[in-house]
Amino acid sequence: MPRFSIIVPTYGVEGRLSLALESVLGQPFGDFELIPVHEAAADSPAGAVSAAYATRDTRVTPVQSSPSGGLSAARNAGLAAAHGTYVLFLDGDDTLAPGALQAIADRLGGTGDPDVLYFAHERAHWWEGGTTVVRPTGPDTPAWSAAYRRDFLGERQLMFPIGHFTDLGWSGLVALAADRTAELRDTVCVRHLLRRRGSQLDAPGDHQLELLDQVELVLARAAAGQRLSEALFAQLFAVVLRSLAHPERLPAHHRRAFFRRATHLYRLHHPAGFRPPTGSLGVQHRLLATGSYAGFRVLCAAHRAVAGALAALPRPRAPLTRALYAAQRVLPLDRNLAVYCAYRGRGVGRDPAALHAKARELAPWLRSVFLVEPDAVDRLPSDVEYAVIGSRRSWRVLARAKYLVHNTDFDADFADAVVKRRGTVHLQTQHGTPLTTRGVRRSPYPVVAAASGRFTDLLKRVDRWDFCLSANRYSTETWERAFPGRYEQLEYGCPRNDVYYTATAEDVARARRELGVPEGRKAVLYAPTHRDHTTGHSPRLDLAAFCEAVGEEFVVLLRAHHFSDGFSGDGFSGDGTSRGSDGRIIDVSAHRSTEDVCLAADALITDYASLMFDYAHLDRPVVILADDWEVYRETRGVCCDLPTTPPGHVARTERELADLFRDGSYADLKADVLRAVFRERFCQFDDGRAAERVVRRVFLGERPEALPPVVPLAERTPAPAPAAATLVKS
């Protein structure tokens, strides 16, 4: 029998679940069983994470529970499966502090194994910029801030009550039943994440009525023969009064009845001799006890008036186009209109373009409009409908569209004024797997943060998202921390990468012909990234010297980053190639399709461009030129340590890079092994059907379980390499 059973409900927190499980498995005190509770669906993301950990560690024993039963059903399912002497609960987006289990075990032993041990926890703000330590207060403690003797729970038949506010009911019932309790006040055992949008329990709705159900459950149990302490009574009604102080949380037609029911419970169950606290809280107690609903409303209104007086500031006057936009929003939504925007309007490309193409196939009744900058108009495909950003037409389609699809974390300035109408659907596709920090995670890096805009404006935009696209679980975890919100994560892959699994040998040969790759040569794609801490475009690799060093076998396809000064291409449209070094350097920066450039390349050289994650789907050699990794990491911020988990060989100098290609080791067995590990982690969901899954889920409203399942990596076949394509052609 293990000392501890640690129960972790997982529904809705898949993005941070691995952090919670790792925090338990990394404890020096190892006498425990870890019970993740996930939904029963076969394709449950949390189920997949739990199963992977169970394979790795025999102490992990997942169980299933229906998400319709909520948090209570999950915890009860975990309790039914537990074998430990003591039971602990850990929310799936929280973490166990280092050394917590040893500290709890020591305190339990030192206090004679009490029924309940309450311990301190730390509330971590969502931006991870501050924490607050909360000492145990006995009954008024979350379920995950205590250890419970399992035999005690079984003897008293204690289970979590179904519904909302169950922590309140649970803690009250436990407090009534426990004969011996102890505290661990000076050791933080759980790090609890405070979500940016707060607890869903604080949201308005009929579920607020269930608060009194939980209070009455505890009070009725006390009336049936268990002593109700003055402390527990005060704590229960402190929660009730906090809710009454926010009448906007309750439907208007239920507010008076809620107050009357609270008054009835207060009068019926208050302990003899109970004295209300002093100050404003004491006044609220007395108003509740007397049933003075009008007086309570006046008191709360006065508090709100004082708090709101300082915040009341006049709004700036909107320009004429904003007024027209407001007028258009009065009109009904066009449920067959989808608006796309790629990279702040630079054209038609990447994931929005791939989704647009798939929507034409699966939902041909949808009308699509791309928002573009004025200088992109001449390069747009002839069959694409567009609106220039900031024009009256752009505001008109934004006001009426059912769907908005875009791929940048910091939208164009005009987007801050976009209003999310009821019934609209906003999809953030992102732009690939992130290597560098994004969103609010940029705040510690002044240069990047200054160029990114105000984070308060960013978070307002995040609040408009309904869906956010993810290529792998690493990205899911990154987006959840960088863009905290209530959107649904779509772990479907990147639609633009579908072509890497659907392209044929002829597609590869065509791409090489269009780019002018000579017959019999190996094409190396060089795609450097942008440096925020430098100005201008200073190539870090002398391509002419590289070509001379590696020999006539290779040509270089140069694709400069679109932020580089002097770079006229946009990566979306236009052809235009230029040659240098006797035709062995082909500038493909302005070529219309990044995907075609990748298909044409035999290998990729990059520094820290996220293109490496896309190119890895082709299962072709990748070499990293990391000559300034330490500087880049400290000035830009990164989400993973690339040199320790690279997709291939890492060169620190131009000479090392040239040597890898000159002797062929860029594609040796070690490179294959590194790439296989990289692909296993980052090529998780892309299988050629990402666009289809997104269109079916977002535009057609299909349920996740009805979508095409992701093909396992080992069963996928990437587009043929150029050499194979040449053989097929021959």
Side-chain angles (χ1 to χ4, degrees), residues 378-461:
D378 293 340
R379 300 190 300 274
L380 295 177
S382 59
D383 61 343
V384 169
E385 186 177 351
Y386 69 90
V388 175
I389 290 176
S391 68
R392 293 186 180 183
R393 186 164 189 266
S394 70
W395 289 112
R396 186 161 60 248
V397 295
L398 279 171
R400 302 291 304 281
K402 165 77 172 179
Y403 306 99
L404 176 62
V405 180
H406 52 114
N407 75 338
T408 49
D409 51 357
F410 291 95
D411 300 344
D413 290 340
F414 87 101
D416 287 330
V418 172
V419 175
K420 179 174 172 58
R421 294 183 61 180
R422 184 175 183 179
T424 59
V425 177
H426 288 216
L427 167 62
Q428 168 59 258
T429 70
Q430 300 293 355
H431 45 282
T433 297
L435 173 65
T436 57
T437 55
R438 302 288 177 86
V440 297
R441 302 287 290 176
R442 289 173 164 170
S443 58
Y445 306 95
V447 174
V448 183
S452 300
R454 293 173 45 182
F455 291 117
T456 53
D457 294 334
L458 164 67
L459 294 174
K460 290 178 182 177
R461 293 194 293 270

Side-chain angles (χ1 to χ4, degrees), residues 162-494:
I162 301 299
H164 295 87
F165 302 98
T166 58
D167 266 18
L168 180 64
W170 166 264
S171 63
L173 294 175
V174 167
L176 288 173
D179 293 324
R180 296 187 303 115
T181 65
E183 293 183 352
L184 179 59
R185 297 186 58 82
D186 298 326
T187 302
V188 169
C189 296
V190 170
R191 193 168 191 258
H192 174 65
L193 177 69
L194 295 175
R195 291 183 172 270
R196 174 181 155 251
R197 298 294 298 273
S199 170
Q200 293 188 5
L201 292 178
D202 294 336
D206 288 342
H207 68 276
Q208 294 289 340
L209 303 175
E210 298 180 43
L211 171 64
L212 292 182
D213 294 341
Q214 300 293 341
V215 172
E216 186 170 15
L217 174 67
V218 177
L219 295 175
R221 183 73 60 88
Q226 294 176 309
R227 180 179 177 275
L228 177 65
S229 69
E230 293 187 16
L232 178 57
F233 180 83
Q235 288 165 354
L236 290 172
F237 279 94
V239 177
V240 173
L241 290 170
R242 282 199 298 270
S243 182
L244 286 170
H246 295 277
E248 70 280 358
R249 296 178 183 173
L250 283 164
H253 59 285
H254 285 307
R255 293 171 188 170
R256 186 180 293 273
F258 185 92
F259 188 89
R260 287 176 175 171
R261 183 185 176 194
T263 295
H264 171 73
L265 292 174
Y266 190 98
R267 292 172 173 173
L268 182 63
H269 294 283
H270 78 279
F274 173 74
R275 300 184 62 179
T278 59
S280 176
L281 182 59
V283 175
Q284 294 178 45
H285 269 267
R286 286 188 285 274
L287 290 172
L288 182 63
T290 58
S292 179
Y293 178 64
F296 194 91
R297 288 183 59 190
V298 170
L299 178 64
C300 292
H303 287 167
R304 288 195 301 273
V306 172
L310 297 177
L313 297 173
R315 286 187 164 187
R317 186 175 181 179
L320 177 60
T321 51
R322 304 290 173 83
L324 293 174
Y325 174 52
Q328 286 287 323
R329 296 201 307 273
V330 177
L331 301 176
L333 284 175
D334 184 342
R335 299 190 176 275
N336 293 324
L337 176 59
V339 172
Y340 297 84
C341 188
Y343 282 121
R344 303 178 182 87
R346 291 207 318 278
V348 177
R350 308 303 275 164
D351 289 316
L355 289 175
H356 163 67
K358 183 58 68 173
R360 279 184 166 181
E361 174 188 336
L362 299 179
W365 58 86
L366 288 178
R367 172 189 167 212
S368 301
V369 178
F370 272 83
L371 300 179
V372 298
E373 291 291 348
D375 59 1
V377 171
D378 293 340
R379 300 190 300 274
L380 295 177
S382 59
D383 61 343
V384 169
E385 186 177 351
Y386 69 90
V388 175
I389 290 176
S391 68
R392 293 186 180 183
R393 186 164 189 266
S394 70
W395 289 112
R396 186 161 60 248
V397 295
L398 279 171
R400 302 291 304 281
K402 165 77 172 179
Y403 306 99
L404 176 62
V405 180
H406 52 114
N407 75 338
T408 49
D409 51 357
F410 291 95
D411 300 344
D413 290 340
F414 87 101
D416 287 330
V418 172
V419 175
K420 179 174 172 58
R421 294 183 61 180
R422 184 175 183 179
T424 59
V425 177
H426 288 216
L427 167 62
Q428 168 59 258
T429 70
Q430 300 293 355
H431 45 282
T433 297
L435 173 65
T436 57
T437 55
R438 302 288 177 86
V440 297
R441 302 287 290 176
R442 289 173 164 170
S443 58
Y445 306 95
V447 174
V448 183
S452 300
R454 293 173 45 182
F455 291 117
T456 53
D457 294 334
L458 164 67
L459 294 174
K460 290 178 182 177
R461 293 194 293 270
V462 170
D463 289 342
R464 298 200 301 260
W465 301 355
D466 296 287
F467 300 100
C468 180
L469 198 55
S470 173
N472 40 62
R473 193 142 294 127
Y474 156 84
S475 293
T476 300
E477 296 172 0
T478 302
W479 301 147
E480 185 167 302
R481 300 176 71 185
F483 306 106
R486 292 183 178 174
Y487 49 83
E488 178 182 336
Q489 296 255 26
L490 302 181
E491 293 184 321
Y492 296 167
C494 291

